[in-house]
């Protein structure tokens, strides 16, 4: 396994940094990972290494306003704001296709990255061969939260959990929570996402049938993830895809698991589930 980085340009001129983990020998397929709000692609090293060991090459960008791409200006989204965040998935997709012509590609989005994935699939489902949503939810409430006056405040998500750092909602693994809190590129208060109202399209039953019917979609969540509504919100998302004609939609809820499944106490189980899905869909 090797680790390196690439750069690519957003449509509004941001130079985006992306981590890359590659297997020994020829890859079986490609995995594009989009991280969530208040974090960065470097946090996916363990996951990327596991996927590389399974034969996949993995690209994980530090999205706009995040990680190395932010150059210290965390939470500043650039001229194109949220529509730019979604389009960045397409720009990286194009770069990956240039690097690995002919290889199948799976898109994995966590949290805010999963919302971007939901929106991306409305117009670009033919650009990927499989999709995975982690730490996701039904997007109508997210639009309302992100368009409310004032800075985005995630502190309410920790209600109902022990309050040691304020980020216990992320994981039952205290060491992982501490690593998040100690990372200066995590937990920042972002500026408002201009254009976030366009995310509401991902809940529009008139638009969802634009997703190709043969796209395999895997949805994974902890039933204690506060944005998942005990899993009921993900049931809504899965059923919307099925009602729109998507034939291969799987939903798994992990008991007592919280928001960051890849940093949870059962992360090995989650990773194995994703690898199994990739093997079935793009690994042949």
């Amino acid at each position: 396994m090797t680790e390196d980085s690439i750069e690519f340009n957003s449509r509004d001129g941001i130079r985006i940094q992306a981590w890359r983990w590659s297997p020994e020998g020829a890859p079986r397929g490609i995995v594009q990972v989009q991280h969530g709000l208040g974090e960065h692609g470097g946090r996916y090293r363990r996951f990327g290494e596991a996927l590389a060991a399974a034969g996949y090459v993995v690209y994980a960008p530090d999205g706009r306003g995040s990680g190395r791409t932010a150059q210290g200006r965390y939470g500043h989204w650039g001229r194109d704001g949220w529509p730019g965040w979604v389009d960045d998935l397409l720009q990286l997709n194009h770069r990956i296709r240039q690097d690995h012509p002919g290889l199948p590609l799976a898109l994995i989005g966590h949290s805010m990255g999963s919302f971007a994935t939901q929106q991306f699939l409305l117009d670009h489902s033919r650009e990927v061969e499989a999709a995975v949503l982690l730490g996701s939810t039904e997007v109508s409430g997210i639009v309302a939260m992100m368009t409310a006056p004032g800075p985005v405040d995630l502190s309410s998500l920790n209600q109902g959990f022990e309050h040691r750092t304020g980020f216990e909602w992320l994981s039952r693994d205290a060491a992982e929570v501490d690593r998040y809190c100690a990372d200066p590129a995590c937990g920042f208060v972002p500026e408002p996402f201009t254009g976030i109202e366009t995310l509401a399209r991902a809940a529009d039953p008139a638009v969802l049938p634009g997703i190709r019917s043969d796209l395999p979609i895997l949805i994974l969540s902890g039933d204690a993830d506060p944005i998942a509504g005990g899993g009921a919100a993900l049931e809504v998302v899965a059923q919307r895809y099925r009602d729109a004609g998507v034939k291969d939609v799987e939903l798994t809820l992990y008991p007592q698991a919280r928001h960051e499944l890849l940093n949870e106490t059962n992360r090995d189980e989650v990773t194995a589930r994703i690898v199994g899905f990739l093997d079935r869909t793009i690994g042949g």
Side-chain angles (χ1 to χ4, degrees):
M1 193 281 300
T2 58
E3 175 183 291
D4 62 358
S5 292
I6 66 159
E7 297 180 345
F8 66 97
N9 286 324
S10 72
R11 68 184 183 187
D12 56 348
I14 298 172
R15 195 70 174 162
I16 296 179
Q17 311 292 312
W19 302 90
R20 179 169 58 188
W21 297 281
S22 303
E24 299 296 331
R28 307 165 62 191
I30 310 153
V31 179
Q32 178 180 341
V33 178
Q34 186 65 35
H35 65 74
L37 183 66
E39 58 156 349
H40 55 88
R43 299 186 70 229
Y44 293 77
R45 177 176 283 110
R46 178 174 57 212
F47 182 60
E49 290 175 347
L51 296 190
Y56 299 98
V57 57
V58 182
Y59 289 75
D62 290 343
R64 58 176 60 215
S66 308
R68 299 165 300 169
T69 299
Q71 299 183 355
R73 300 184 71 239
Y74 302 121
H76 294 272
W77 306 126
R79 185 195 69 201
D80 284 0
W82 175 253
W85 177 291
V86 177
D87 188 75
D88 293 343
L89 274 65
L90 181 63
Q91 300 309 317
L92 179 53
N93 178 288
H94 289 167
R95 168 60 190 271
I96 291 171
R97 297 298 193 182
Q98 292 173 10
D99 290 349
H100 306 279
L103 278 182
L105 184 153
L107 175 60
I108 299 178
H110 165 68
S111 196
M112 211 71 192
S114 79
F115 310 147
T117 297
Q118 289 189 45
Q119 186 167 342
F120 175 88
L121 292 177
L122 299 177
D123 303 306
H124 304 293
S125 64
R126 298 193 179 278
E127 304 298 330
V128 299
E129 281 70 48
V132 181
L133 305 178
L134 303 173
S136 199
T137 193
E138 195 281 316
V139 298
S140 299
I142 297 299
V143 173
M145 180 180 75
M146 299 297 287
T147 55
V152 177
D153 181 11
L154 302 181
S155 62
S156 63
L157 296 175
N158 212 56
Q159 293 178 7
F161 298 103
E162 66 278 15
H163 189 93
R164 183 174 60 87
T165 68
F167 291 98
E168 280 65 43
W169 63 281
L170 296 178
S171 174
R172 292 168 291 180
D173 189 328
E176 291 294 336
V177 173
D178 287 346
R179 272 189 277 274
Y180 180 91
C181 293
D183 189 336
C186 289
F188 53 81
V189 177
E191 67 183 15
F193 262 124
T194 58
I196 190 67
E197 63 276 2
T198 62
L199 176 58
R201 294 178 61 231
D204 187 345
V207 178
L208 283 162
I211 300 173
R212 63 187 179 91
S213 62
D214 61 344
L215 179 70
I217 299 176
L218 175 64
I219 305 170
L220 302 179
S221 177
D223 68 4
D225 183 345
I227 75 167
L234 280 310
E235 297 282 1
V236 170
V237 174
Q239 192 58 48
R240 279 179 179 160
Y241 286 131
R242 296 181 185 118
D243 291 345
V246 181
K247 299 181 178 68
D248 187 351
V249 181
E250 298 181 71
L251 169 62
T252 298
L253 300 174
Y254 294 97
Q256 300 180 32
R258 302 179 189 179
H259 186 60
E260 289 194 345
L261 286 177
L262 297 177
N263 294 319
E264 256 290 3
T265 54
N266 64 323
R267 54 184 169 264
D268 292 344
E269 176 188 14
V270 174
T271 298
R273 178 74 176 85
I274 295 171
V275 169
F277 174 76
L278 296 174
D279 290 348
R280 177 174 72 81
T281 56
I282 69 168

